[in-house]
Amino acid sequence: MFKPTIIVHGGAWAIPAELTERSLEGVKVAACRGQEVMTRGGSAVDAVVAAVSSLEDDTAFDAGHGAVLNLKGEVELDAIVVDGQTMDSGAVCGLQGCAHPVQVARLVMDKTSHCLLSGSGANEFMQAQGIARVPESELVTPEAQEEWKTYVQFSSAVKNLFSERSAPPPPSGCDTVGAVAMDANGNLAAATSTGGITAKLPGRVGDSPIIGAGAYADSTVGAASTTGHGESIMKVGLARRVGELLEKGETAQQAAEHALDFMSRRVGGAAGVIVLSKGGETGTCQVGTS
Amino acid sequence: MFKPTIIVHGGAWAIPAELTERSLEGVKVAACRGQEVMTRGGSAVDAVVAAVSSLEDDTAFDAGHGAVLNLKGEVELDAIVVDGQTMDSGAVCGLQGCAHPVQVARLVMDKTSHCLLSGSGANEFMQAQGIARVPESELVTPEAQEEWKTYVQFSSAVKNLFSERSAPPPPSGCDTVGAVAMDANGNLAAATSTGGITAKLPGRVGDSPIIGAGAYADSTVGAASTTGHGESIMKVGLARRVGELLEKGETAQQAAEHALDFMSRRVGGAAGVIVLSKGGETGTCQVGTS
């Protein structure tokens, strides 16, 4: 028997003062939900899905309710779950009108022979599975709308002055969420969910729904969930890179630090990661964020 | 000065006798196109895009013209290009009505701050970049239609008798394409393009457009392009795993073999990979295919 363990994160960006209390409360509630699931005999997969679902309900985070808006002012959601026992995985990207994208990701894993469904195909799958589409107005917060308006105004001013390729907007306090867990059987799982980045191009897919980038789990090695600048994380396969370093014998903390070091040196970018090794050790690290 | 080198592949499945000559001719033409580009001073990125574009023109392969059809009988195309110097990457998934998805992938890399665009967002981006949408009838071959019809009939018979979760159809002779190259400056690049698998769920994304799964390039390490059962390749991050083994000092051939060995042992599935190390060594291997 192993000791059931869960770690959750609510992103790695600086949390503004007015969000600190809600953010801390949100990750505590999510961790407790996940832990309860395992206490009642649930698996690590059940636990990370429960924890991330809880964070998707909480508008303090950029996932499900509270997600940021794309360039058109729409919500497009990405999520993944990975089962470390089989290395099976389910993920969705560009999902719209969904309260719990991580639950649709799990259905992709359990009900299809695929790992990742995108856009309108993901939406059709969700509805075929009997999950009702929620009105976008239920997901969008006034803060997300405000941030989008600020960006669009700033961007159109910059575009006229400089070039079409504008820098990404400054990050808000809301951020990607994730969880890693080990259950009583020693199996590991990871899950990640996000609305991406404000004013992303429609259809933009970041690291979160990508195996090895936004999440990784192999019960013979460890599990990781990442957050931060999606493109940097994808380029280096941050979550899998943590797995590589665990395989080499590094501790969970060393693996988190060294994987982020590599990302910073090779492609730049800001990110954070949570890690759980097969031995139950935990590690967390962030770079380029404050 | 380095010796410009290119390797291309046209998939790893068994090629039926009637396709063998066309397939061999297709990969030769593509390799020559890529090599010519570098002879005229082009970069490794230019070369792999030229080679893969040539394969996308050729209906002997499942990419661009000749792509297989999804469950609805539609074409949905995935492609990626990776620049090993910067580790920048551009990719598209679920693109429709596109003759050269790899060229749109390159535009994602060159013109946006993103790495991957999906579905309708990818289509809007393509059109905004001035690339005309071609009628689907130009891409679909009689063979692709025939294979789709066979699957749909078989599947509906099986579904009535057994369960909703039917096995994937037997693979056709047409397959995913890819290329890896090193240019005169010693920079590496990789590109991969595919129509995916016949009767895939709409929106299904396979390994091809995923950095570290369908392609990987880091000029300080090596480059790889993969093909085969997308879900298995994604789960283990096959292309990046080749990179890990090169970093450990394995030869290109050893890295190809050992990465596929791991995939077979851990998650099963059939696949192939082409590899070019930073030293210009080549490696190719396939498992589970004949």
Side-chain angles (χ1 to χ4, degrees):
Chain A
M1 284 289 284
F2 292 79
K3 184 183 164 203
T5 307
I6 189 164
I7 326 176
V8 308
H9 71 79
W13 296 115
I15 301 171
E18 66 273 19
L19 260 184
T20 307
E21 203 177 320
R22 281 175 55 207
S23 293
L24 283 174
E25 182 63 19
V27 290
K28 276 185 206 163
V29 167
C32 290
R33 292 262 169 87
Q35 195 72 38
E36 279 163 22
V37 164
M38 291 191 288
T39 304
R40 293 196 308 268
S43 69
V45 170
D46 297 331
V48 293
V49 169
V52 169
S53 295
S54 174
L55 294 162
E56 288 172 339
D57 281 331
D58 191 328
T59 56
F61 305 103
D62 173 21
H65 302 82
V68 301
L69 308 182
N70 72 11
L71 194 59
K72 286 185 177 173
E74 298 167 342
V75 168
E76 289 187 311
L77 302 164
D78 302 343
I80 189 170
V81 62
V82 189
D83 179 344
Q85 185 175 13
T86 55
M87 291 182 80
D88 270 353
S89 178
V92 286
C93 59
L95 195 62
Q96 297 195 295
C98 180
H100 298 111
V102 75
Q103 296 177 13
V104 184
R106 185 173 189 170
L107 288 168
V108 172
M109 179 168 80
D110 291 347
K111 303 285 184 182
T112 81
S113 56
H114 300 320
C115 289
L116 175 57
L117 295 181
S118 69
S120 57
N123 274 278
E124 285 168 22
F125 171 77
M126 172 177 83
Q127 290 178 50
Q129 292 294 319
I131 298 184
R133 189 166 170 147
V134 300
E136 186 148 297
S137 57
E138 280 187 24
L139 302 175
V140 178
T141 60
E143 292 77 13
Q145 277 186 312
E146 199 51 45
E147 183 172 287
W148 175 75
K149 277 184 201 158
T150 304
Y151 178 81
V152 170
Q153 281 162 5
F154 167 79
S155 172
S156 92
V158 169
K159 198 167 172 179
N160 293 337
L161 285 170
F162 300 108
S163 81
E164 286 199 22
R165 194 168 176 180
S166 55
S172 77
C174 294
D175 204 356
T176 299
V177 305
V180 290
M182 173 184 281
D183 61 29
N185 296 315
N187 286 323
L188 292 165
T192 304
S193 181
T194 191
I197 49 173
T198 293
K200 64 184 178 182
L201 286 178
R204 177 262 190 183
V205 184
D207 62 302
S208 300
I210 306 298
I211 309 168
Y216 189 76
D218 178 344
S219 296
T220 67
V221 177
S225 169
T226 69
T227 174
H229 183 241
E231 281 72 13
S232 302
I233 294 171
M234 291 166 85
K235 285 175 194 172
V236 300
L238 186 64
R240 165 62 200 149
R241 205 165 280 267
V242 168
E244 283 174 46
L245 297 170
L246 291 173
E247 284 175 19
K248 280 186 186 164
E250 294 199 357
T251 65
Q253 186 59 32
Q254 287 169 335
E257 290 171 10
H258 294 161
L260 284 166
D261 274 353
F262 176 82
M263 189 192 80
S264 296
R265 279 185 284 111
R266 191 65 178 89
V267 301
V273 61
I274 56 173
V275 185
L276 191 55
S277 74
K278 67 174 177 184
E281 276 180 340
T282 62
T284 63
C285 187
Q286 57 195 64
V287 290
T289 63
S290 50
Chain B
M1 284 291 285
F2 293 78
K3 183 184 164 201
T5 307
I6 189 164
I7 326 176
V8 307
H9 72 79
W13 297 114
I15 301 171
E18 66 272 20
L19 260 184
T20 307
E21 203 176 321
R22 281 175 56 207
S23 293
L24 283 174
E25 182 63 19
V27 290
K28 276 185 206 164
V29 167
C32 290
R33 293 263 169 87
Q35 195 73 38
E36 279 162 22
V37 164
M38 291 191 287
T39 304
R40 292 196 309 267
S43 69
V45 169
D46 297 331
V48 293
V49 170
V52 169
S53 296
S54 174
L55 294 162
E56 288 173 338
D57 282 331
D58 191 328
T59 57
F61 305 103
D62 173 21
H65 302 82
V68 301
L69 308 182
N70 72 11
L71 194 59
K72 286 185 177 173
E74 298 166 343
V75 169
E76 289 187 312
L77 302 163
D78 302 343
I80 189 170
V81 62
V82 189
D83 179 344
Q85 186 174 15
T86 55
M87 292 183 78
D88 271 352
S89 177
V92 287
C93 58
L95 196 62
Q96 297 195 295
C98 180
H100 297 110
V102 75
Q103 295 176 15
V104 184
R106 183 171 191 172
L107 288 168
V108 171
M109 179 167 80
D110 291 347
K111 303 286 184 182
T112 80
S113 56
H114 300 320
C115 289
L116 176 56
L117 295 182
S118 69
S120 57
N123 274 277
E124 286 168 21
F125 172 77
M126 173 177 83
Q127 290 178 52
Q129 291 295 320
I131 298 184
R133 190 166 170 146
V134 300
E136 186 148 295
S137 58
E138 280 187 24
L139 302 176
V140 178
T141 60
E143 292 77 14
Q145 277 186 311
E146 200 50 47
E147 184 171 286
W148 175 75
K149 278 185 200 157
T150 305
Y151 177 81
V152 170
Q153 283 163 4
F154 167 79
S155 171
S156 92
V158 169
K159 199 167 171 179
N160 292 338
L161 286 172
F162 301 107
S163 81
E164 286 199 20
R165 194 168 176 179
S166 55
S172 76
C174 293
D175 204 356
T176 299
V177 303
V180 290
M182 174 184 282
D183 61 30
N185 296 315
N187 287 322
L188 293 165
T192 304
S193 181
T194 191
I197 50 173
T198 293
K200 63 184 179 183
L201 287 177
R204 176 262 190 182
V205 184
D207 62 301
S208 300
I210 307 297
I211 309 168
Y216 190 75
D218 178 343
S219 296
T220 68
V221 177
S225 169
T226 70
T227 175
H229 182 241
E231 281 72 14
S232 302
I233 295 171
M234 292 167 83
K235 285 174 194 173
V236 300
L238 186 64
R240 165 61 201 151
R241 207 165 278 268
V242 168
E244 283 174 47
L245 297 171
L246 291 173
E247 284 175 19
K248 280 187 186 163
E250 294 199 356
T251 66
Q253 186 60 33
Q254 287 169 334
E257 291 171 10
H258 294 160
L260 284 166
D261 274 353
F262 176 82
M263 188 191 80
S264 296
R265 279 186 284 113
R266 192 64 177 91
V267 302
V273 61
I274 56 173
V275 185
L276 191 55
S277 74
K278 68 174 176 181
E281 276 180 342
T282 63
T284 62
C285 187
Q286 58 195 64
V287 291
T289 63
S290 49

